[in-house]
C-alpha cells in the first residue's frame, strides 16, 4: 500500500468486491485458484516473469517463470486425470519445500481435486490419522518420505496412488507410480475443471484440545481474501521479490506462500533448508528480497545471533517485514528496527480464517506488542467469556471473536459438523484465543483459551500426543501440556504415569521422546517428561491439563472447583 493511502481510507466504503473485480471474478462463473495463479497471470503478459526462485540446502537452484508454472501445473493436472483421480477427491502433498510442492498445489486444484498439504516431517501415525480422516485418494511424495507411507499403506484402502516425484527406476512398490515433473512432456493446454466459488479447494489439518486433528476445509473463493490481504497487508507490488519462510504443510505456506503472491503475479523465492542466520541473510542479499514474511520464533533466533551478522550482509533491498503465528513480542519489533531499520508488522490469523484478520497495516502506527487492528471487511471483537457478549470497556480481556462471512473463512471441518458448530456463539466465530482491545481499537494478544500448545508457531494438540503416548508399552496415562521456552515460546512437556513394573529413568525418558518423534513429528516430541504417580483429574475423571500447565508457567491455577466438576 502506498504510504498516502491510509488504513482509514481502506476502511471507507470497503467491500470484498474490490478484490473480485481485480481478480476478474463474476458471480456464477467458474473460479479456480490454480488457473487464477498461473494462466491468468500469463494472460496479463507476465508469462516470462519469474514466479519461483528456488534454492536448497546444498545450494542447488531452480527458476520457474509464470509460464513454466502454468504448463507444469497443467502437466500435474493431466497426470492425475490419467491416473483416474476425480474432481472432489483428496490429493495429499507430502514433500519438502521442493518446486513439485508449489506447482503440484496448483495442478491438483486445476483438475478439481482437493489439496491436502501435510508437513513432510510428520511421522507415520500423524500421517495415517490425516489420510484416513480425509479418505485421501493419491499422495505425492519423495523417496525419502515414501518409507513412512509404505508402513501404513495396508491401513489405507482408499489410497490408490502413491506418486514418487524422484523415483529410482525399477524400485517402485505396490500402488506406487513415478512422476518426474521436469522430464514429463509438458502440457500446454489443459481444460481446467470449472470449479465454482464454493467448491472445496484446500484441506489443512489443525489441532484442537479434544479429539484428533480436524481437516479445515477451504473453498476456491478464499483467493479473494488472500489476494487482497497480500496486496494491502504484505504490501506486495509488481516488482517485489517476496520471501515467505513458512512451509506449505501449514496454512501460512499456502495462503501466503502460494495463493496470495501468485494471484498477484509476484516473484517469490523459496529456501528449502533449515534455519541459519548466515544463510537467511545471504539469501535475502542474493535475491534482493523486498518483502519478508516470517515468524516470531525465527526473529528470536535471529536476535540471539545478534545484529552483527545482519550488518555483515547487504539487506538494503528489504522494504517491508511481517510476522505471524505467535505473539510478536515488543522486544522483537524494537530489535528489528535496530537491525533492519524497520519493524516487523504483526499479523494475526488462523488455519480457519484462511487469511490475515487482525494486523498492523503498512503506514499505520505500530504499537510494539500489539497485533494491530482488524482488516477492512473483518468485524472483530473480544467477548466476555461468561455471556459471549462483546466486552463493554477497553482493556478488558475476552475471547477473540469474528463475525462469520469473510471470503477465506473455512466452510467446514471435514466430516465433523459437531466441532465446527461448537466454534460459534451468539453469531460470532470464536478463535480460541484471548486478547484485549485498547481505546484506539488495537488488539493485544493474551494467550490461547484452550490446551493447544503453540511451539514455534505450530499448533500441537495434546490429545494426539497423549494418544500416541498410550501406545508405548510402559505408559499407563499421560498429559501433554505447554512449557515455556525462550525461543519457541512453548514446547511440549509430558506428564507420564507408568504401568507397574516400569521405572521412570533417563533411558525411558529418551525412549519415549523418540517414540513420539517418530510417530508424530519433531514438533510434537516432548522436550521433557516428568514421571508421576498419578495425574490431577476432575471428579468425572478428565485430566486437568490446566493445573499442570499453570505450574509450568508459574501462574495461578484458577478456580479448581469448576474444574473438579467438569
Ligand atoms: O493462537 C493463535 C496463534 O496461532 C493460532 C493459529 O494457528 P494456526 O491455525 O496453525 O495458523 C497459524 C498461522 C496463521 C492462533 O489461534 N497466532 C497466530 N498469529 C498470531 C498468534 N498468536 C499471537 N499473535 C499472532 N500474530
Amino acid at each position: 500500500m502506498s504510504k498516502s493511502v491510509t488504513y482509514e481510507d481502506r476502511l471507507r466504503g470497503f467491500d470484498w468486491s474490490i478484490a473480485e473485480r481485480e481478480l476478474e471474478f463474476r458471480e456464477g462463473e467458474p473460479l479456480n485458484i490454480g488457473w487464477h495463479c498461473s494462466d491468468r497471470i500469463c494472460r496479463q503478459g507476465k508469462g516470462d516473469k519469474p514466479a519461483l526462485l528456488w534454492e536448497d540446502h546444498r545450494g542447488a537452484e531452480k527458476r520457474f517463470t509464470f509460464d513454466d508454472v502454468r504448463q507444469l501445473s497443467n502437466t500435474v493436472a493431466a497426470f492425475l486425470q490419467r491416473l483416474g483421480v476425480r474432481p472432489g477427491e483428496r490429493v495429499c502433498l507430502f514433500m519438502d519445500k521442493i518446486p513439485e510442492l508449489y506447482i503440484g498445489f496448483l495442478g491438483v486444484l486445476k483438475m478439481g481435486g482437493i489439496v491436502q498439504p501435510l508437513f513432510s516431517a510428520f511421522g507415520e501415525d500423524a500421517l495415517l490419522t490425516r489420510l484416513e480422516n480425509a479418505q485421501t485418494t493419491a499422495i505425492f511424495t519423495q523417496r525419502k518420505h515414501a518409507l513412512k507411507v509404505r508402513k501404513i499403506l495396508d491401513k489405507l484402502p482408499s489410497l490408490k496412488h502413491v506418486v514418487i516425484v524422484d523415483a529410482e527406476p525399477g524400485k517402485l512398490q505396490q500402488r506406487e507410480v513415478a512422476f518426474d515433473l521436469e522430464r514429463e512432456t509438458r502440457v500446454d493446454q489443459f481444460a481446467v475443471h470449472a470449479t465454482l466459488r464454493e467448491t472445496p479447494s484446500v484441506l489443512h489439518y489443525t489441532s484442537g484440545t479434544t479429539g484428533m486433528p480436524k481437516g479445515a476445509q477451504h473453498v476456491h473463493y478464499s483467493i479473494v481474501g488472500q489476494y487482497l490481504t497480500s496486496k494491502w497487508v504484505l504490501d506486495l507490488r509488481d516488482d517485489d521479490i517476496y520471501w515467505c519462510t513458512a512451509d506449505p504443510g501449514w496454512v501460512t505456506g499456502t495462503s501466503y506462500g502460494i495463493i496470495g503472491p501468485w494471484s498477484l503475479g509476484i516473484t517469490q523465492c523459496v529456501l528449502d533448508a533449515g534455519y541459519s542466520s548466515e544463510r537467511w541473510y545471504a539469501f535475502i542479499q542474493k535475491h534482493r528480497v523486498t518483502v519478508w514474511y516470517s515468524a516470531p520464533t525465527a526473529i528470536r533466533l535471529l536476535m540471539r545471533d545478534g545484529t552483527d551478522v545482519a550488518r555483515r550482509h547487504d539487506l538494503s533491498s528489504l522494504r517491508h517485514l511481517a510476522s505471524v503465528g505467535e505473539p510478536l513480542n515488543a522486544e522483537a519489533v524494537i530489535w528489528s528496527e535496530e537491525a533492519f531499520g524497520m519493524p516487523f508488522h504483526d499479523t494475526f490469523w488462523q488455519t480457519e480464517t484462511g487469511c490475515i484478520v487482525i494486523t498492523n497495516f503498512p503506514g499505520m502506527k505500530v504499537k510494539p506488542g500489539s497485533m494491530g487492528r482488524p482488516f477492512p471487511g473483518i468485524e472483530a471483537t473480544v467477548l466476555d467469556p461468561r455471556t459471549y457478549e462483546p466486552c463493554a470497556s477497553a482493556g478488558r480481556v475476552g475471547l477473540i471473536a469474528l463475525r462469520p462471512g469473510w471470503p477465506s473463512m473455512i466452510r467446514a471441518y471435514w466430516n465433523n459438523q459437531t466441532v465446527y458448530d461448537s466454534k460459534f456463539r451468539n453469531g460470532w466465530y470464536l478463535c480460541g484465543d484471548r486478547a484485549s482491545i485498547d481505546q484506539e481499537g488495537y488488539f493485544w494478544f493474551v494467550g490461547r483459551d484452550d490446551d493447544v500448545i503453540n511451539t514455534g508457531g505450530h499448533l500441537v494438540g495434546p490429545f494426539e500426543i497423549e494418544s500416541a503416548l498410550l501406545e508405548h508399552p510402559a505408559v499407563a496415562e499421560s498429559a501433554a501440556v505447554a512449557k515455556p521456552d525462550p525461543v519457541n515460546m512453548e514446547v511440549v512437556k509430558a506428564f507420564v504415569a507408568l504401568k507397574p513394573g516400569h521405572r521412570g529413568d533417563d533411558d525411558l525418558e529418551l525412549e519415549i521422546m523418540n517414540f513420539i518423534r517418530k510417530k508424530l513429528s519433531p514438533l510434537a516430541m516432548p522436550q521433557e517428561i516428568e514421571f508421576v504417580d498419578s495425574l490431577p483429574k476432575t471428579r468425572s475423571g478428565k485430566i486437568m491439563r490446566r493445573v499442570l500447565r499453570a505450574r509450568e508457567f508459574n501462574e495461578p491455577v484458577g478456580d479448581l472447583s469448576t474444574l473438579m466438576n467438569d
Side-chain angles (χ1 to χ4, degrees), residues 452-501:
V452 172
I453 303 153
N454 186 336
T455 181
H458 299 107
L459 299 192
V460 183
F463 184 80
E464 192 178 20
I465 302 173
E466 291 159 7
S467 305
L469 281 167
L470 274 185
E471 288 178 39
H472 190 281
V475 176
E477 57 179 8
S478 69
V481 301
K483 158 187 155 153
D485 183 81
V487 169
N488 290 299
M489 186 172 88
E490 295 178 350
V491 290
V492 178
K493 172 168 178 180
F495 290 84
V496 169
L498 295 171
K499 286 182 185 158

Side-chain angles (χ1 to χ4, degrees), residues 205-207 250-253 256 293 296 323-328 345-356 358 369-371 400 429 431-434 445-450 452 454 457-460 489:
Y205 275 74
T206 181
S207 299
W250 311 100
V251 73
T252 308
Y256 296 104
Y293 196 24
S323 153
V324 64
E326 312 148 64
L328 178 63
H345 290 72
D346 199 2
T347 67
F348 168 87
W349 59 292
Q350 309 179 296
T351 306
E352 286 86 345
T353 69
C355 72
I356 294 164
I358 297 173
S370 159
M371 309 196 291
I400 303 181
Y429 162 75
C431 294
D433 293 299
R434 285 175 292 126
F445 187 83
V446 173
R448 294 258 345 150
D449 189 50
D450 58 19
V452 172
N454 186 336
H458 299 107
L459 299 192
V460 183
M489 186 172 88

Side-chain angles (χ1 to χ4, degrees), residues 329-525:
N329 37 323
E331 305 81 73
V333 176
I334 294 160
W335 178 79
S336 81
E337 291 202 325
E338 192 188 312
F340 311 118
M342 65 196 83
F344 267 93
H345 290 72
D346 199 2
T347 67
F348 168 87
W349 59 292
Q350 309 179 296
T351 306
E352 286 86 345
T353 69
C355 72
I356 294 164
V357 288
I358 297 173
T359 186
N360 284 291
F361 250 63
M364 189 169 100
K365 178 173 76 178
V366 173
K367 297 188 187 182
S370 159
M371 309 196 291
R373 291 194 273 177
F375 186 80
I378 300 286
E379 191 186 344
T381 190
V382 296
L383 302 180
D384 183 314
R386 283 160 311 191
T387 60
Y388 296 105
E389 293 296 334
C391 290
S393 51
R396 281 276 301 279
V397 175
L399 309 173
I400 303 181
L402 308 168
R403 190 69 84 191
W406 68 97
S408 309
M409 183 182 179
I410 58 161
R411 303 302 197 260
Y413 288 124
W414 190 257
N415 276 335
N416 203 338
Q417 190 65 36
T418 318
V419 176
Y420 186 73
D421 292 343
S422 73
K423 292 274 181 170
F424 298 88
R425 289 283 193 300
N426 286 348
W428 294 97
Y429 162 75
L430 303 180
C431 294
D433 293 299
R434 285 175 292 126
S436 66
I437 310 174
D438 70 16
Q439 302 275 9
E440 290 177 297
Y442 280 67
F443 282 65
W444 296 79
F445 187 83
V446 173
R448 294 258 345 150
D449 189 50
D450 58 19
D451 293 336
V452 172
I453 303 153
N454 186 336
T455 181
H458 299 107
L459 299 192
V460 183
F463 184 80
E464 192 178 20
I465 302 173
E466 291 159 7
S467 305
L469 281 167
L470 274 185
E471 288 178 39
H472 190 281
V475 176
E477 57 179 8
S478 69
V481 301
K483 158 187 155 153
D485 183 81
V487 169
N488 290 299
M489 186 172 88
E490 295 178 350
V491 290
V492 178
K493 172 168 178 180
F495 290 84
V496 169
L498 295 171
K499 286 182 185 158
H502 294 275
R503 244 197 40 213
D505 55 19
D506 289 354
D507 285 348
L508 186 61
E509 181 179 13
L510 217 66
E511 184 191 311
I512 296 177
M513 283 174 173
N514 272 320
F515 181 77
I516 299 299
R517 186 178 54 80
K518 274 190 72 186
K519 271 187 175 302
L520 298 180
S521 72
L523 298 171
M525 182 183 85

